[in-house]
Every structure is written in C-alpha cells, then in structure tokens.
Amino acid sequence: MSIWDPKQTLDSVGLGRQEQKRSTRVADAIRNELAVFMLQKVRDPKLAEVSISRVEVTDDLRVARIFFTLLAGNKRAKATENSLHKAKGFMRTHLAKTLNMRYTPDLQFRYDETADKVAHVESIFQEIENERKERGEDS
C-alpha cells in the first residue's frame, strides 16, 4: 500500500520546485564555457593565471559582467582586465557558436575583489586571535 505524497505529485508535474531565472542559467553557461575556453584556447601568457569566479547577466540578456580573479592577487588586475578586453571579440564569437542564443551578450570584465576582502577579514580575525592568546598567557 503506497502513501500519497502531495510533494511528489507536485514535483512530477513541475509545480513543486522553484525554477531558476533564465539570466541565471545563461550566466552559469557562460561561466562554464569561458572557464574551459580559457584553459584550452587562449594563448596569451597574461591570461594564464585568470580564473572566472562568477558571471552576472542582465535580465534582458544583453550584458554579461564577468568577474575574474588572479592567482597572484590584484597586482596585475588592471593589465589583465585590458588583455581580457582585447580578447573580448574572440571570446564572444566562441560563445555565439557554442551557446546558440539569438543574441550574444556584450562582455564586460571586472576584477573580483571578494577574495581580497575575505583575506583581509581573515587577517583581522587572526590578529584578534593572536591578541587573545597574548592576553591569556600574560594573565
């Protein structure tokens, strides 16, 4: 004897789960495609250390803001951003061929400062922990 579960019934017709917005799905596809593209096709040594951290696409799918990080930190962020801007046409052509969209979004590259901010906050926490240890040892 099976017990009737309304959640399973709703899921089977597609009403029980929350669907992602199209712009979010497109952003994920662009991030995945560019990450693979950067590994396989880009030969510019300035772009060797680039990692695509996240992509934000506007709701009308006209603009994609691509946030990147560098393994070496933010020292060469501006130069890398210029190199990415120069390769933008090459990348956009690749996306047009692979994503099969009516309109390929304009690509805007920005350095993602989130990793730097996290490292800064972690260093503050480390300083606090060190001060607590010093006070505990002095008492």
Side-chain angles (χ1 to χ4, degrees), residues 29-94:
I30 289 173
R31 186 181 55 78
N32 292 337
E33 202 56 49
L34 283 181
V36 171
F37 180 76
M38 296 292 285
L39 287 172
Q40 294 177 350
K41 305 271 180 167
V42 175
R43 306 220 188 282
D44 188 351
K46 295 176 189 173
L47 302 179
E49 297 180 355
V50 172
S51 175
I52 305 297
S53 59
R54 63 188 163 111
V55 175
E56 295 175 355
V57 178
T58 57
D59 286 340
D60 63 357
L61 306 178
R62 295 288 179 165
V63 177
R65 285 181 209 91
I66 298 150
F67 293 88
F68 66 93
T69 58
L70 298 170
L71 297 176
N74 65 351
K75 297 171 187 153
R76 295 192 327 243
K78 196 63 177 169
T80 304
E81 192 171 326
N82 290 336
S83 296
L84 285 167
H85 184 70
K86 289 178 185 176
K88 175 169 75 168
F90 186 47
M91 293 180 191
R92 192 165 181 233
T93 302
H94 173 75

